[in-house]
Amino acid sequence: MVKRTDIQEQELLQRLSEGDTVAFDRLFLTYYHGLLRYAKSLMPYPSDAAEDIVCNIFGHLWEHRLRLNISTSIAAYLYTSVKNKILREINRDKLYERTTDRTEHIDIADSIHYEPDNILQYKQLDERIRDLINKLPQRTKMVFLMNRNDKLTYDEIAVLLDISIHSVKTHMYRALLFLKSSVYIK
């Protein structure tokens, strides 16, 4: 016997694969808050990273909507995706910590004498990222810099710019997607 909710989920997935933004919005509104709470509960420290992860999951869902093959419920798929993404982030952070522990946290100014090639690479990457940030649309750039440089939360940015929290999340998602794709190209 097929349950009504299974039929509704299949219809929603079908509409999503056809590019129906209303179906995507429905998924987002249905699952976002629960996924965010779940992500925050899995994070080892409080940060806005949970919001970034959940937004990235929805971005991935939209970008790969034509190739989706969800054999479980949508909820199970989304919650598993969030858990796996957080575990990858935690493992990446642990790898970074092990790497930086070996270098004994040498200050960049002090390390010029130790590793000039690494300092040059760092400066080139930093300059490239700054150029890419300057290529962002004005509002997206403003939201990104307020979050990353000024350390403002999404809620604070929404209040300051008089926009919705969802608009802030969209700007951050677009900025991060652009920066990630542009940095990895070269």
Side-chain angles (χ1 to χ4, degrees), residues 100 103-112 114-115:
T100 55
T103 61
E104 299 175 346
H105 302 290
I106 299 171
D107 187 85
I108 288 200
D110 295 337
S111 65
I112 291 173
Y114 299 109
E115 301 171 334

